[in-house]
Amino acid sequence: MSKLQNEVRGSVKKAEDDILTEDDLIDMHYLRAVIKETLRLHPPLPLLFPKISNQDVKINGYNIKANTQVIVNAWQVARDPKSYVYKPEEFEPERFLNANSGLSYKGNDFELIPFGAGRRLCPGVHFGTSVNEIALANLVHEFDWTLPGGVTSEDLDMSEAASGTVIHKEDPLKAVAIPYSSA
Ligand code: HEM
């Protein structure tokens, strides 16, 4: 969080009441890495929408007949240690600034598909990521955040639960916002 705050608070100087807009975020690489890492570990739609093969194919030694329903597990794909050699289960936004910096989740890099890939790729990729960037940047720009009741980030239960096809944190996050003043 402090790394993200340094980036967000350091790169823009705003008047007290102004909120950050998309134009302020252009050079915020760590912000984008944090969101990418969040979508890698916690894709809201862990199983992509079912697809049907339109012809017989062989993938990685498996024969898939035409008209077979196929469901891609994007959650598992994004934790594969073959693609993410360094601590695949850990939250490490830096991975997207270093070895995997070129990885995009816009459908060309199959190891990162929180928005799917191909012709059914989510049409809301840009809108979804922009809204997340603006919201998160403003939240960490305006507030310092702690966990209530002596809870540490190591204690935080990150179990997920499903509501229909979408997953969310099973135990809602409770956090304390402390207004930040740069003065
Ligand atoms: C962080 C936010 C979002 C995530 C993670 C997300 C993820 C996804 C995923 C995984 C799919 C299925 C792709 C597949 O099965 O191959 C999908 C489909 C879709 N998404 Fe999103 N989405 C997000 C935001 C949005 C927004 C903001 C909109 C609309 C404004 C949107 C509209 C749609 C639509 C219409 C489809 C169906 C596309 C089709 O089947 O052709 N999504 N999304």
Side-chain angles (χ1 to χ4, degrees):
M1 177 160 340
S2 53
K3 239 174 152 172
L4 181 57
Q5 281 168 329
N6 283 343
E7 179 178 83
V8 170
R9 290 174 183 169
S11 45
V12 261
K13 298 277 167 269
K14 302 290 265 186
E16 269 302 272
D17 299 336
D18 276 357
I19 61 163
L20 303 179
T21 63
E22 210 171 347
D23 290 341
D24 298 315
L25 311 183
I26 291 164
D27 293 324
M28 295 194 188
H29 304 293
Y30 196 69
L31 172 71
R32 270 183 280 280
V34 165
I35 291 172
K36 209 178 259 187
E37 181 67 340
T38 307
L39 288 171
R40 181 184 76 85
L41 282 176
H42 305 287
L45 202 71
L47 302 177
L48 302 184
F49 294 150
K51 313 283 186 304
I52 293 194
S53 59
N54 57 9
Q55 60 186 54
D56 292 356
V57 280
K58 190 165 192 163
I59 301 178
N60 286 346
Y62 292 93
N63 290 312
I64 300 172
K65 295 238 133 307
N67 296 319
T68 305
Q69 179 169 281
V70 179
I71 297 177
V72 175
N73 186 341
W75 189 96
Q76 190 60 56
V77 165
R79 289 168 185 247
D80 186 347
K82 285 194 218 111
S83 307
Y84 297 96
V85 182
Y86 182 70
K87 298 185 181 173
E89 299 288 332
E90 303 276 317
F91 185 81
E92 288 281 337
E94 287 74 12
R95 75 177 78 247
F96 291 118
L97 300 175
N98 304 322
N100 291 326
S101 57
L103 272 191
S104 145
Y105 39 39
K106 294 181 183 164
N108 296 324
D109 301 311
F110 296 135
E111 54 273 66
L112 190 66
I113 46 171
F115 293 96
R119 67 168 66 167
R120 306 311 293 263
L121 177 83
C122 173
V125 182
H126 185 67
F127 185 63
T129 47
S130 301
V131 168
N132 271 320
E133 286 169 14
I134 293 169
L136 181 60
N138 278 290
L139 286 171
V140 297
H141 187 265
E142 296 300 317
F143 301 97
D144 288 326
W145 295 89
T146 59
L147 295 166
V151 179
T152 66
S153 54
E154 284 76 33
D155 301 331
L156 209 56
D157 181 0
M158 291 301 291
S159 306
E160 294 163 329
S163 314
T165 51
V166 178
I167 55 169
H168 53 82
K169 227 174 137 303
E170 188 166 30
D171 180 24
L173 178 69
K174 295 181 196 72
V176 181
I178 304 157
Y180 167 77
S181 165
S182 55

